[in-house]
Amino acid sequence: MENKSLRFYAIMALWVVLFVLLFVSNRRVDLKTDINKSTSVSVSVEDTVSLSPSVVTTRAYSADDDTYQTFFEILQNASCYQKFNQNIRSHDYEAHSITLRFADDASQNLLFTVYSDGVCQVNGKFVFLRSPDGNAEAIYQLLRDAVV
C-alpha cells in the first residue's frame, strides 16, 4: 500500500515540475514598456542574398518622428513569449532582417530583430511573436514597409 502511495506522490511531483517548467518557459516580454522608456530608435535593415555580402542600411529616428510612431503602433499590441529552448531553430542564411534598437539617453532599452522567415529575437533571445497584425512574418513586412 505504501508503495502505491509513494508512486502517486512521485507522479504528482513530476506533474508539478513539468507545469512549472512550462510556466517559466513562456515568460512574456513587455515590448510596450521598453519602447515607452525610449527616446530614439536605430533601424538596421539587412538584405542577404546567397553567396554575396549582406547589404545593411541603418537609420536613426527620434521619438518625435512619424516613423518612430509607426514602429510603436506596430509593436505596441504585440505579445512576445520567450522560448524555453533557445536552440529550437535559427534563421536561414538568406533571410532578410530588421533590427530595431530602442534607447534613451542613458542606455539601450530594447533590441528587437525580426527575420523575413518568421524568426524573432528580443534582446538576443528567441521569442514567439503574436500580434493583431499577424505573426512575425507579417510584422517583418509591416516594419519593412515603414522603413522604405
Side-chain angles (χ1 to χ4, degrees), residues 86 91 111-115 119-127:
Q86 290 297 305
H91 59 85
L111 179 65
F112 178 86
T113 303
V114 62
Y115 297 90
V119 175
C120 185
Q121 290 181 305
V122 174
N123 296 330
K125 299 196 187 276
F126 290 102
V127 296

Side-chain angles (χ1 to χ4, degrees), residues 40-48 54-61 67 71 95-102 108 110-116 140 143-144 146-148:
S40 65
V41 64
S42 171
V43 182
S44 299
V45 178
E46 182 175 8
D47 293 318
T48 306
S54 299
V55 176
V56 179
T57 306
T58 304
R59 295 185 178 108
Y61 303 97
T67 305
F71 296 146
H96 307 294
S97 68
I98 295 178
T99 300
L100 304 175
R101 290 176 182 86
F102 289 93
Q108 176 176 297
L110 176 68
L111 179 65
F112 178 86
T113 303
V114 62
Y115 297 90
S116 59
Y140 169 83
L143 292 173
R144 179 76 182 208
V147 172
V148 174

Side-chain angles (χ1 to χ4, degrees), residues 35-130:
I35 294 171
N36 280 335
K37 291 190 296 187
S38 301
T39 57
S40 65
V41 64
S42 171
V43 182
S44 299
V45 178
E46 182 175 8
D47 293 318
T48 306
V49 181
S50 182
L51 301 175
S52 63
S54 299
V55 176
V56 179
T57 306
T58 304
R59 295 185 178 108
Y61 303 97
S62 69
D64 299 331
D65 290 329
D66 290 338
T67 305
Y68 181 97
Q69 295 303 318
T70 303
F71 296 146
F72 177 75
E73 290 170 8
I74 292 170
L75 296 177
Q76 73 177 345
N77 294 321
S79 298
C80 291
Y81 296 93
Q82 185 176 329
K83 292 182 179 181
F84 178 68
N85 183 354
Q86 290 297 305
N87 298 317
I88 291 176
R89 75 180 233 210
S90 62
H91 59 85
D92 296 331
Y93 287 107
E94 294 186 19
H96 307 294
S97 68
I98 295 178
T99 300
L100 304 175
R101 290 176 182 86
F102 289 93
D104 58 16
D105 296 333
S107 65
Q108 176 176 297
N109 295 328
L110 176 68
L111 179 65
F112 178 86
T113 303
V114 62
Y115 297 90
S116 59
D117 64 355
V119 175
C120 185
Q121 290 181 305
V122 174
N123 296 330
K125 299 196 187 276
F126 290 102
V127 296
F128 295 107
L129 176 68
R130 295 288 179 249

Side-chain angles (χ1 to χ4, degrees), residues 6-37:
L6 183 60
R7 190 177 326 168
F8 172 78
Y9 287 118
I11 290 172
M12 291 305 293
L14 181 63
W15 277 110
V16 169
V17 168
L18 288 174
F19 178 76
V20 167
L21 283 176
L22 180 64
F23 179 73
V24 170
S25 69
N26 286 326
R27 293 186 313 174
R28 184 172 180 163
V29 179
D30 187 11
L31 298 177
K32 190 173 184 178
T33 301
D34 289 337
I35 294 171
N36 280 335
K37 291 190 296 187

